[in-house]
Amino acid sequence: MTIETITPHGTPTTGSSAQPDMSREFNPWLAAEVRFDRAAELLGLDDGLRKLLKTPGMEVTVNIPVMMDDGRLEVFTGYRVQHSIARGPAKGGIRFSPDVTLDEVRALASWMTWKCSVVNIPFGGGKGGVICDPSILSRNEVERITRRYTAELIDVIGPERDVPAPDMNTNEQTMAWIMDTYSMHKRTTVTAVVTGKPLNLGGSKGRPEATGRGCLFVTLQALRRFHIDPSEARVVVQGFGNVGGLGAKLMRKAGMKVISIIEWDGALYNEHGLDIEALMAHRQKTGSINGFEGGEAIDRHEAMFLDCDVLVPAAKENVVHSQNAAKIKAKIMTEGANGPTTAVADKILAEKGVFVIPDILANAGGVTVSYFEWVQDRQGYFWNEQLVNGRLEEIMVNSFKDVVEYAERHHVDNRTAAYMLALDRVAFAIKLRGIYA
Ligand code: GLU
């Protein structure tokens, strides 16, 4: 797979009628393949190993019957993909969304393999998803979906096999239900079967903020390279949820000026930096960032192209693509979301000289603290927050250095370097283990 084969068809135009077809460029599995192929080529991996590393080890589809509140019987489709268990149990979140596809779950599972490998934690990669729209489901319906999905996967997941975590539209409560269902089947409480649990059910201190905190640590490293003092850094954050919101809060705490927050229903600007905690309180009260007095409302489609030092896309996939990447003015891009940049846009950003901290490194703080949670559950001994954050910082800073030095040594961009480093580690593990026949 090459970038050319996934370039959108049609000519980009400014009019609304002849929009190019972006479906191939936006297909996450094709995007994952392009990045994989580039890294595999540069590493000179042989064909057999390439085939093995590319193909998910296990894909499970479950069609789950669920009794709805109104007495109707509904059937939901769910997936769990284990991309690789070469370096340890599969690890990765479960998302609930009407748009979930097997291709998406496959791509996300492979990203988890590379992510865990980049930060060198002893996990493989997995991902799960259920096609459902939690915004139109009651809490009881979501609980029944979660429990039945877990029951169907009872022999697939497990602390030594495959350890789920929260992802889009799933949270601590979802993890508590999964842990309880699994434990009921096993007739013993197994906290280490999932991470991202509530604190009093074997969760870890620092887990909720871990992804945002990880983004902060790598961004600070990148700023140092640009000789930009954090207090001078102007940051634009897209997304105000677990990653973007908590990340923005921590960045402000570290002295940076978060000049813009972009959400799905609006964007705010303040050249002196937004008061993130006040904005969180406002959103909590009104349900939206709109109407906040401490910032000016700006066009949410244009905010990503503001003149700034750091752009943090922390909302969803494919927001930086062939049609808009050239407009990005940020010096540094910290990918808080999974897959916010398309493979075609990679090339444009590289030509512009944007310093991209790729998703598999930038947002790895979440899974790193998930690893700490899994370790603590298995030890039955819990760490204080300082220890969690200190160990997270050490891993993120070292991984950042590994990737950036690798990129410099091999004259490749940061994303390619991260993939090369990750693939190489997984390939080495496979070579050491050998193929069981
Ligand atoms: N869903 C998060 C991610 O994409 C966390 C996964 C985990 O903690 O296992 O990295």
Side-chain angles (χ1 to χ4, degrees), residues 152-410:
E152 297 297 331
L153 295 177
I154 212 76
D155 296 321
V156 173
I157 60 172
E160 317 286 343
R161 290 173 187 270
D162 181 349
V163 186
D167 200 80
M168 243 163 68
N169 298 328
T170 55
N171 53 31
E172 288 189 351
Q173 179 60 72
T174 327
M175 296 308 115
W177 288 327
I178 296 178
M179 192 276 271
D180 181 68
T181 308
Y182 185 85
S183 299
M184 289 299 108
H185 280 258
K186 299 290 172 189
R187 317 302 298 161
T188 179
T189 295
V190 189
T191 53
V193 66
V194 280
T195 59
K197 296 179 295 296
L199 203 51
N200 56 357
L201 276 183
S204 174
K205 295 227 167 81
R207 177 64 185 85
E209 311 81 22
T211 312
R213 197 179 294 279
C215 287
L216 166 71
F217 290 142
V218 289
T219 302
L220 286 172
Q221 291 301 309
L223 287 171
R224 273 175 69 165
R225 296 184 67 84
F226 279 82
H227 306 291
I228 300 172
D229 192 277
S231 64
E232 309 272 293
R234 288 159 313 141
V235 185
V236 172
V237 180
Q238 182 191 49
F240 202 53
N242 178 49
V243 184
L246 295 175
K249 186 171 127 182
L250 293 167
M251 287 184 186
R252 180 177 158 84
K253 252 195 177 152
M256 302 182 205
K257 282 196 211 60
V258 181
I259 59 167
S260 182
I261 293 283
I262 313 167
E263 265 281 75
W264 62 276
D265 59 346
L268 294 170
Y269 178 78
N270 182 333
E271 62 170 312
H272 305 294
L274 292 155
D275 180 341
I276 303 298
E277 291 198 25
L279 180 57
M280 281 177 164
H282 170 87
R283 211 259 307 264
Q284 175 85 2
K285 217 166 77 192
T286 66
S288 167
I289 61 163
N290 294 333
F292 179 61
E293 286 191 349
E296 177 194 333
I298 56 167
D299 182 350
R300 71 181 182 86
H301 299 290
E302 290 303 314
M304 228 169 52
F305 314 118
L306 282 168
D307 185 12
C308 62
D309 299 297
V310 185
L311 172 65
V312 187
K316 51 183 192 153
E317 290 153 31
N318 299 324
V319 293
V320 181
H321 49 73
S322 56
Q323 310 302 301
N324 69 7
K327 286 164 68 180
I328 302 261
K329 293 198 192 73
K331 297 183 185 72
I332 297 163
M333 196 164 101
T334 306
E335 294 186 334
N338 286 317
T341 308
T342 69
V344 189
D346 276 351
K347 220 175 153 181
I348 302 169
L349 296 176
E351 278 159 15
K352 279 176 68 78
V354 179
F355 187 90
V356 177
I357 312 176
D359 48 5
I360 57 171
L361 168 65
N363 71 36
V367 75
T368 300
V369 177
S370 275
Y371 164 53
F372 297 161
E373 179 174 333
W374 180 78
V375 169
Q376 292 170 78
D377 286 340
R378 286 154 52 103
Q379 286 180 329
Y381 182 71
F382 290 85
W383 312 349
N384 64 35
E385 189 160 356
Q386 211 182 346
L387 193 62
V388 171
N389 293 344
R391 287 184 170 163
L392 173 64
E393 179 168 17
E394 192 184 329
I395 289 185
M396 295 306 294
V397 170
N398 288 342
S399 307
F400 177 91
K401 287 192 175 141
D402 286 349
V403 168
V404 173
E405 281 167 20
Y406 196 99
E408 282 167 356
R409 216 171 32 250
H410 296 272

